[in-house]
Amino acid sequence: MTSSLIRGRPRRATSHISVRLVHTLLGLLAGVAWLVLPWMTINSGAPVPVTCANPGAASAAGAEQGGTSAADLVLPLVAVGAAVVFAGYGYVRRTRRARTRTTPGGTAVLAGPAVPPLSEADERARASLVEADDCVRTSREELGFAEARFEAAAVEPFARAVRDAESELAAAFRMRQQYDDGVPEDEASRRHALAGIVGRCQEAGRRLDAEATGFDRLRALEGDGLDGALEPAEARFRELAGRTGAVDAIPAGLGERYGRSAAGTVTGYVEQAKDRLVFATTRFNQARQRADMGDGEGAARHLRAAEGATAQAAVFVTCVERLAADLTAAAALVPAALTGAEAELAAARATSARGLPVGELHARAAHADVVLAAVREELTAGPYDPLDALRRITRAIAPVAVGRAGVLSAAALLAARSALAAADGFVTTHRGAVGSKARTRLAEAERLLTMEPPDALAADARARQAHDVAEQDVRVRGNPIADAAGHATGAAGAVLGGILRGTAPDGGSPVSYGGPHTRARRAKQPG
């Protein structure tokens, strides 16, 4: 809505111009009249007779009359010249003002710096989200190793920094989700939203950067703290190696019991866990060797890489264990969910649920009947995916549900939490290739599940979308290290998982607790 002040400016400017034009014309007319009037007097056709007794006086009077006529010509010319000068000055002034005007009606000559295209601001916001998310995830991982060794009070400042960064990042992801949903709509507001996303990400990174030096002093990996850090890390590695062997046969067993699609989200996870453990073994050995040589910085660098690989191997194994538990719980819940869904349908038909028209209610109920019948048939025929069955039941009944069957809420939450855990595990272990879209959908799924009450159906949809987009990103990225040696040592997987920065043929340096300015501080120095 334009203010009256702005709307009035063009009209006032127009009126000023009109007044100046009138003044100029009046000046010109006056000058012309002054110029012409003496000529009309001089060129009169009949001379006026003059009676004069003294001829000499008459001659003097004639001479005086001729002089007066010449003087009369000078003043009009001066007036005309002055009018032209004033008119030219007014024109130049108006032109200059129009060129430098910043209000409507003129274009500013002294413009500010060029505004980059919206696409560039969008790309910067995407990159900022990925960088900040990587910093938070890496810092959280290394913080876990510090918590296993030191008392809670010593670690609390660094844990608080991670929580603060997580809060800033969550706000940035929320803004990005709204942006992707088309809010706000106008370009200026969307540009402002992108700047807000970048600002939130920078604040998250700044918070972690500020604590990086203190965190290094706490761990003291380059000095006396190396042995104290190696022992618990290697103990965790040995425990994880045992867990990996225990889950080796689980994915195949899940496929046989529930169908191949049921175990699809953890296909290859045991092999990837072993790959990370191979990489960790190599780096633990190199850390010991560097320590024996007195190279504290090199030892700390290899230890950090080993810790990162161990943490990601744990994520792979946990995902397999979590899926097995979720499928078992879902299989036990499906019969009760079917019964609850049928009760909801009966109540909906009896009470005209949600005030729907009879025809629409009948159509929705008929669709739900078909879905429930198909699930019952799968239960009888087997094998089937119980998590997928719960999703189909809850989604089919949601349009007509009246909220009487609490079992359906429990079913929807189980499916959503399982999808969220699977997507988060994939992003964590493949973050070297996953972009901002998948991370944004994952953050939105987490937000929807933490609402009160939680929106389980929407969270489940977002989490599954995040998983699909992340898998696509990994396929597009391809192998981060082309040579066979990189795959044999596990370096390729470490780059894919964001453990190594991927800046050298061997995978590059590891990342550590900190923000964008400190997370790569353990990079190997050239020479």
Side-chain angles (χ1 to χ4, degrees):
M1 182 174 181
T2 307
S3 68
S4 60
L5 180 62
I6 296 177
R7 288 199 302 270
R9 287 177 181 170
R11 289 197 292 271
R12 290 200 299 270
T14 303
S15 64
H16 288 318
I17 295 173
S18 301
V19 170
R20 289 169 183 162
L21 288 175
V22 170
H23 289 171
T24 303
L25 289 175
L26 289 175
L28 289 173
L29 289 175
V32 171
W34 203 346
L35 179 64
V36 172
L37 185 59
W39 283 101
M40 292 175 63
T41 305
I42 293 172
N43 296 328
S44 176
V48 178
V50 177
T51 303
C52 183
N54 189 350
S59 176
E64 183 180 6
Q65 183 180 359
T68 303
S69 299
D72 289 342
L73 292 176
V74 174
L75 292 175
L77 290 175
V78 171
V80 171
V84 171
V85 169
F86 281 118
Y89 172 74
Y91 173 77
V92 172
R93 186 177 179 182
R94 287 195 304 274
T95 303
R96 185 175 299 172
R97 182 180 299 172
R99 289 178 178 175
T100 59
R101 185 180 298 158
T102 58
T103 56
T107 303
V109 174
L110 301 176
V115 178
L118 190 62
S119 58
E120 291 185 11
D122 181 37
E123 187 61 31
R124 184 187 178 195
R126 291 176 182 272
S128 297
L129 285 169
V130 171
E131 182 179 57
D133 192 45
D134 282 347
C135 290
V136 168
R137 290 178 181 274
T138 300
S139 298
R140 191 191 299 135
E141 285 178 356
E142 188 174 0
L143 181 66
F145 287 94
E147 290 173 335
R149 181 183 172 196
F150 299 100
E151 296 181 356
V155 181
E156 175 56 26
F158 314 108
R160 184 169 57 251
V162 171
R163 292 194 298 270
D164 292 345
E166 289 173 340
S167 178
E168 294 288 343
L169 183 60
F173 275 129
R174 178 59 183 150
M175 295 171 66
R176 181 71 216 195
Q177 182 62 56
Q178 292 175 328
Y179 183 92
D180 291 344
D181 291 338
V183 179
E185 295 182 357
D186 62 285
E187 180 175 340
S189 297
R190 289 177 73 78
R191 189 181 298 276
H192 183 72
L194 292 174
I197 293 170
V198 174
R200 291 281 191 173
C201 293
Q202 289 175 341
E203 178 59 22
R206 186 201 65 79
R207 190 70 181 86
L208 295 172
D209 281 330
E211 300 295 339
T213 301
F215 189 76
D216 284 349
R217 285 198 299 266
L218 175 69
R219 299 203 72 193
L221 298 184
E222 288 82 359
D224 297 337
L226 180 64
D227 289 337
L230 270 170
E231 292 177 2
E234 290 175 333
R236 184 174 177 181
F237 168 85
R238 290 189 292 271
E239 181 267 336
L240 186 59
R243 284 176 59 195
T244 304
V247 303
D248 199 355
I250 288 181
L254 295 177
E256 293 176 359
R257 184 175 180 182
Y258 302 113
R260 293 181 58 186
S261 62
T265 58
V266 297
T267 299
Y269 272 24
V270 175
E271 289 74 17
Q272 292 185 65
K274 293 177 180 179
D275 181 76
R276 298 293 194 277
L277 292 177
V278 168
F279 177 81
T281 300
T282 302
R283 291 307 178 106
F284 275 129
N285 291 336
Q286 290 176 336
R288 289 287 187 186
Q289 293 171 2
R290 293 286 182 174
D292 293 340
M293 295 168 58
D295 182 5
E297 292 184 359
R301 186 166 55 249
H302 289 298
L303 174 59
R304 272 301 303 133
E307 288 178 340
T310 302
Q312 288 198 7
V315 173
F316 283 122
V317 173
T318 300
C319 284
V320 174
E321 295 170 339
R322 170 73 183 261
L323 180 60
D326 288 346
L327 287 171
T328 301
L333 193 57
V334 167
L338 283 170
T339 302
E342 290 170 348
E344 285 284 339
L345 274 177
R349 289 188 171 105
T351 60
S352 297
R354 299 174 182 264
L356 296 173
V358 176
E360 185 175 352
L361 174 61
H362 177 74
R364 293 183 179 184
H367 171 71
D369 283 332
V370 171
V371 173
L372 298 181
V375 172
R376 285 196 176 278
E377 184 177 350
E378 290 177 2
L379 261 67
T380 303
Y384 74 101
D385 181 351
L387 284 171
D388 180 65
L390 290 181
R391 290 189 180 96
R392 292 158 60 193
I393 293 170
T394 53
R395 290 188 178 281
I397 208 66
V400 297
V402 294
R404 295 185 179 180
V407 67
L408 294 179
S409 297
L413 284 172
L414 174 60
R417 287 168 179 160
S418 181
L420 178 63
D424 185 65
F426 188 89
V427 171
T428 297
T429 55
H430 298 80
R431 60 178 179 263
V434 176
S436 65
K437 182 178 179 180
R439 300 172 193 241
T440 301
R441 302 299 178 268
L442 178 62
E444 179 66 6
E446 185 174 358
R447 187 190 70 84
L448 291 168
L449 267 184
T450 56
M451 290 171 53
E452 191 58 43
D455 190 344
L457 294 181
D460 179 68
R462 290 296 191 188
R464 296 177 71 195
Q465 183 185 15
H467 203 153
D468 291 341
V469 174
E471 287 182 336
Q472 182 179 357
D473 288 342
V474 172
R475 287 193 295 269
V476 170
R477 170 69 183 273
N479 292 328
I481 297 180
D483 59 24
H487 291 273
T489 61
V495 173
L496 184 63
I499 301 167
L500 301 180
R501 299 178 63 211
T503 55
D506 62 350
S509 60
V511 291
S512 302
Y513 179 106
H517 300 297
T518 57
R519 65 191 302 258
R521 59 189 177 276
R522 291 194 172 93
K524 183 178 180 180
Q525 299 300 320

